[in-house]
Amino acid sequence: MSRSLLRPCCRVQRVRERKEGDGLTNPESILYFGTADGKLFSYEIIYIKEKQTFTSSLYHVKSLGRGKKPVTDVVLLDEVALLLTICGMNDANTSCWHEIDGCLDTWNCLNLEASNAIVPQNKGISKVTVFFGRDYSYQIAVVSQKKKLWLYEFVGKFNLIKEINMTDNALDLLWTFNTIFYSAQTQQEYQHINVHTGACNSLLPFDGSA
């Protein structure tokens, strides 16, 4: 069976050192793979100290219920055991940017069962990123295909903080402290957004020229 890898995400916990054959009920390190046919695979990653190497074993397989639409993004909220996936969006580098709506779903990261913590804006989504605060809180940024950016805080559920109008569709994005950086599809440049004011400014073009 083909498992065309689109986006991996590694669970951020220390890999437990153990001997071969030791049992482990809840794996301490899990690697997630989204596939081109709408499935999510999780693998337990094990460090074998005696051999100074890693091994892996299949932990769970989940069909995300979006038909054969590809999984295009996998984001982990480790401390609250949540996994976010986007399924059904075509590759942004093709001419089919708006052809398929991206659906944002939430899952328990250990058993891959559907979570009750649903993101309110979950249709027509192209990208999602997460910010883990110093107070151990999670905030996420969700980008729609209609150049909208929603900021949410997770407090057992996702509460809307702010809605921001963007100047372009985002090919990718990164949230660091008070700034979200993203690559603008049409304008072919990197831009940054102030999460407090919503102001969006150019940073530099894709070719790196000043």
Side-chain angles (χ1 to χ4, degrees):
M1 177 177 64
S2 174
R3 301 179 183 177
S4 178
L5 174 63
L6 290 172
R7 180 63 62 93
C9 177
C10 190
R11 191 158 188 245
V12 187
Q13 288 192 359
R14 183 181 67 85
V15 179
R16 175 182 294 178
E17 296 179 1
R18 65 175 188 163
K19 296 180 180 179
E20 291 183 279
D22 288 351
L24 186 60
T25 303
N26 291 317
E28 290 195 357
S29 187
I30 303 176
L31 187 64
Y32 301 92
F33 294 94
T35 70
D37 57 356
K39 292 185 178 66
L40 190 64
F41 289 78
S42 66
Y43 286 84
E44 177 188 1
I45 307 300
I46 306 162
Y47 178 63
I48 307 299
K49 186 175 182 180
E50 292 84 352
K51 295 184 178 181
Q52 298 287 298
T53 188
F54 291 91
T55 64
S56 64
S57 62
L58 183 63
Y59 193 49
H60 285 295
V61 180
K62 178 76 173 181
S63 176
L64 300 188
R66 301 295 179 181
K68 296 293 185 179
K69 296 177 181 179
V71 181
T72 60
D73 218 349
V74 177
V75 174
L76 183 66
L77 281 65
D78 183 69
E79 296 294 330
V80 293
L82 281 181
L83 194 70
L84 309 180
T85 60
I86 297 178
C87 194
M89 184 69 180
N90 267 6
D91 188 340
N93 295 316
T94 73
S95 59
C96 303
W97 177 263
H98 292 286
E99 186 178 58
I100 300 177
D101 284 340
C103 297
L104 176 60
D105 297 305
T106 55
W107 314 92
N108 180 299
C109 71
L110 287 176
N111 58 26
L112 300 188
E113 293 298 319
S115 170
N116 293 325
I118 299 172
V119 180
Q121 297 291 343
N122 53 30
K123 304 292 185 183
I125 304 303
S126 59
K127 297 299 297 182
V128 61
T129 192
V130 62
F131 175 69
F132 185 51
R134 293 176 178 172
D135 58 351
Y136 299 98
S137 65
Y138 279 107
Q139 295 178 335
I140 66 168
V142 178
V143 178
S144 80
Q145 299 162 6
K146 296 182 179 180
K147 304 177 185 178
K148 292 285 187 181
L149 174 66
W150 294 283
L151 307 181
Y152 292 95
E153 182 178 21
F154 183 76
V155 288
K157 62 179 181 179
F158 289 98
N159 289 337
L160 181 65
I161 301 173
K162 183 174 292 186
E163 178 180 320
I164 298 173
N165 292 319
M166 303 177 70
T167 62
D168 204 344
N169 287 314
L171 300 178
D172 211 346
L173 70 161
L174 172 69
W175 189 346
T176 173
F177 296 103
N178 300 324
T179 305
I180 293 176
F181 297 91
Y182 76 99
S183 48
Q185 180 197 13
T186 304
Q187 299 175 43
Q188 294 289 290
E189 66 176 9
Y190 299 102
Q191 300 182 1
H192 58 97
I193 298 173
N194 185 303
V195 298
H196 296 303
T197 66
C200 181
N201 295 285
S202 298
L203 185 63
L204 76 160
F206 284 171
D207 63 11
S209 60

